[in-house]
mmCIF file with all atom_site columns, all heavy atoms in Angstrom:
data_model
loop_
_atom_site.group_PDB
_atom_site.id
_atom_site.type_symbol
_atom_site.label_atom_id
_atom_site.label_alt_id
_atom_site.label_comp_id
_atom_site.label_asym_id
_atom_site.label_entity_id
_atom_site.label_seq_id
_atom_site.pdbx_PDB_ins_code
_atom_site.Cartn_x
_atom_site.Cartn_y
_atom_site.Cartn_z
_atom_site.occupancy
_atom_site.B_iso_or_equiv
_atom_site.pdbx_formal_charge
_atom_site.auth_seq_id
_atom_site.auth_comp_id
_atom_site.auth_asym_id
_atom_site.auth_atom_id
_atom_site.pdbx_PDB_model_num
ATOM 1  N N   . ASP A 1 98  ? 10.184 -5.219 38.126 1.00 98.00 ? 281 ASP A N   1
ATOM 2  C CA  . ASP A 1 98  ? 9.831  -6.440 37.505 1.00 98.00 ? 281 ASP A CA  1
ATOM 3  C C   . ASP A 1 98  ? 8.316  -6.631 37.579 1.00 98.00 ? 281 ASP A C   1
ATOM 4  O O   . ASP A 1 98  ? 7.718  -7.088 36.611 1.00 98.00 ? 281 ASP A O   1
ATOM 5  C CB  . ASP A 1 98  ? 10.399 -7.629 38.341 1.00 98.00 ? 281 ASP A CB  1
ATOM 6  C CG  . ASP A 1 98  ? 12.104 -7.705 38.183 1.00 98.00 ? 281 ASP A CG  1
ATOM 7  O OD1 . ASP A 1 98  ? 12.548 -6.972 37.272 1.00 98.00 ? 281 ASP A OD1 1
ATOM 8  O OD2 . ASP A 1 98  ? 12.632 -8.359 39.022 1.00 98.00 ? 281 ASP A OD2 1
ATOM 9  N N   . ARG A 1 140 ? 11.731 0.926  28.659 1.00 98.00 ? 323 ARG A N   1
ATOM 10 C CA  . ARG A 1 140 ? 13.042 0.466  27.876 1.00 98.00 ? 323 ARG A CA  1
ATOM 11 C C   . ARG A 1 140 ? 13.051 -1.066 27.866 1.00 98.00 ? 323 ARG A C   1
ATOM 12 O O   . ARG A 1 140 ? 13.359 -1.596 26.766 1.00 98.00 ? 323 ARG A O   1
ATOM 13 C CB  . ARG A 1 140 ? 14.256 1.089  28.470 1.00 98.00 ? 323 ARG A CB  1
ATOM 14 C CG  . ARG A 1 140 ? 14.633 2.529  28.075 1.00 98.00 ? 323 ARG A CG  1
ATOM 15 C CD  . ARG A 1 140 ? 15.161 2.727  26.690 1.00 98.00 ? 323 ARG A CD  1
ATOM 16 N NE  . ARG A 1 140 ? 15.502 3.979  26.262 1.00 98.00 ? 323 ARG A NE  1
ATOM 17 C CZ  . ARG A 1 140 ? 14.908 4.754  25.488 1.00 98.00 ? 323 ARG A CZ  1
ATOM 18 N NH1 . ARG A 1 140 ? 13.712 4.325  25.011 1.00 98.00 ? 323 ARG A NH1 1
ATOM 19 N NH2 . ARG A 1 140 ? 15.456 5.986  25.276 1.00 98.00 ? 323 ARG A NH2 1
ATOM 20 N N   . ARG A 1 141 ? 12.902 -1.690 29.095 1.00 98.00 ? 324 ARG A N   1
ATOM 21 C CA  . ARG A 1 141 ? 12.963 -3.110 29.206 1.00 98.00 ? 324 ARG A CA  1
ATOM 22 C C   . ARG A 1 141 ? 11.975 -3.775 28.283 1.00 98.00 ? 324 ARG A C   1
ATOM 23 O O   . ARG A 1 141 ? 12.295 -4.865 27.640 1.00 98.00 ? 324 ARG A O   1
ATOM 24 C CB  . ARG A 1 141 ? 12.739 -3.593 30.601 1.00 98.00 ? 324 ARG A CB  1
ATOM 25 C CG  . ARG A 1 141 ? 13.129 -5.105 30.618 1.00 98.00 ? 324 ARG A CG  1
ATOM 26 C CD  . ARG A 1 141 ? 12.717 -5.742 32.019 1.00 98.00 ? 324 ARG A CD  1
ATOM 27 N NE  . ARG A 1 141 ? 13.753 -5.198 33.093 1.00 98.00 ? 324 ARG A NE  1
ATOM 28 C CZ  . ARG A 1 141 ? 13.569 -5.566 34.379 1.00 98.00 ? 324 ARG A CZ  1
ATOM 29 N NH1 . ARG A 1 141 ? 12.748 -6.415 34.637 1.00 98.00 ? 324 ARG A NH1 1
ATOM 30 N NH2 . ARG A 1 141 ? 14.383 -4.900 35.243 1.00 98.00 ? 324 ARG A NH2 1
ATOM 31 N N   . LEU A 1 142 ? 10.715 -3.274 28.169 1.00 98.00 ? 325 LEU A N   1
ATOM 32 C CA  . LEU A 1 142 ? 9.744  -3.890 27.316 1.00 98.00 ? 325 LEU A CA  1
ATOM 33 C C   . LEU A 1 142 ? 10.228 -3.910 25.865 1.00 98.00 ? 325 LEU A C   1
ATOM 34 O O   . LEU A 1 142 ? 9.954  -5.063 25.176 1.00 98.00 ? 325 LEU A O   1
ATOM 35 C CB  . LEU A 1 142 ? 8.438  -3.061 27.169 1.00 98.00 ? 325 LEU A CB  1
ATOM 36 C CG  . LEU A 1 142 ? 7.635  -2.960 28.490 1.00 98.00 ? 325 LEU A CG  1
ATOM 37 C CD1 . LEU A 1 142 ? 6.521  -1.947 28.320 1.00 98.00 ? 325 LEU A CD1 1
ATOM 38 C CD2 . LEU A 1 142 ? 7.054  -4.318 28.765 1.00 98.00 ? 325 LEU A CD2 1
ATOM 39 N N   . THR A 1 144 ? 13.077 -4.699 24.906 1.00 98.00 ? 327 THR A N   1
ATOM 40 C CA  . THR A 1 144 ? 14.031 -5.888 24.852 1.00 98.00 ? 327 THR A CA  1
ATOM 41 C C   . THR A 1 144 ? 13.375 -7.213 24.815 1.00 98.00 ? 327 THR A C   1
ATOM 42 O O   . THR A 1 144 ? 13.979 -8.340 24.639 1.00 98.00 ? 327 THR A O   1
ATOM 43 C CB  . THR A 1 144 ? 15.101 -5.780 25.999 1.00 98.00 ? 327 THR A CB  1
ATOM 44 O OG1 . THR A 1 144 ? 14.442 -6.138 27.248 1.00 98.00 ? 327 THR A OG1 1
ATOM 45 C CG2 . THR A 1 144 ? 15.754 -4.506 26.095 1.00 98.00 ? 327 THR A CG2 1
#
Side-chain angles (χ1 to χ4, degrees):
D281 291 347
R323 279 279 188 258
R324 187 186 295 183
L325 289 174
T327 70

